[in-house]
């Protein structure tokens, strides 16, 4: 989470000068891509952990209950997005 907070605080040169969006001078976009994959694995682990232990009264467990009712809307990606 600390690494996530650090990445949000950094400004990307391509955001200020749109012509330079396709060039990653600082490696910031590669770092964000790597961090995105790490966060996805972490959040999927949380969802899976709560799927195994349904006795807890948490937001994720409520979303998992809603997922049983409406599986086409409450996908794991939607749940992870709400948690994030």
């Amino acid at each position: 989470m600390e690494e996530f907070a650090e990445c949000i605080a950094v400004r990307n040169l391509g955001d200020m000068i749109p012509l330079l969006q396709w060039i990653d001078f600082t490696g910031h976009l590669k770092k964000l891509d790597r961090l995105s994959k790490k966060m996805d694995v972490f959040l999927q682990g949380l969802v899976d952990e709560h799927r195994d232990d349904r006795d807890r009264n948490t937001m994720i467990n409520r979303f998992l209950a809603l997922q049983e009712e409406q599986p086409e809307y409450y996908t794991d990606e939607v749940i992870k997005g709400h948690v994030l």
Side-chain angles (χ1 to χ4, degrees):
M1 292 307 291
E2 291 175 9
E3 189 176 358
F4 179 70
E6 290 173 9
C7 283
I8 290 175
V10 175
R11 292 188 183 203
N12 184 13
L13 188 59
D15 292 340
M16 293 179 264
I17 305 171
L19 182 63
L20 299 177
Q21 284 182 345
W22 57 278
I23 301 172
D24 187 18
F25 289 109
T26 60
H28 182 67
L29 296 178
K30 287 181 185 177
K31 186 176 181 180
L32 280 175
D33 188 46
R34 183 183 52 78
L35 181 60
S36 170
K37 291 175 185 173
K38 282 176 60 175
M39 289 291 290
D40 187 57
V41 168
F42 171 74
L43 292 171
Q44 187 63 47
L46 279 178
V47 171
D48 292 339
E49 178 182 321
H50 282 79
R51 190 172 277 136
D52 293 337
D53 184 14
R54 291 290 182 101
D55 295 333
R56 292 190 256 179
N57 186 19
T58 64
M59 179 180 73
I60 295 176
N61 284 345
R62 181 64 186 135
F63 279 123
L64 289 172
L66 289 170
Q67 187 180 50
E68 291 177 359
E69 296 170 13
Q70 299 175 354
E72 67 279 349
Y73 180 72
Y74 290 100
T75 63
D76 283 355
E77 287 76 25
V78 171
I79 295 171
K80 290 185 285 188
H82 282 291
V83 171
L84 187 59

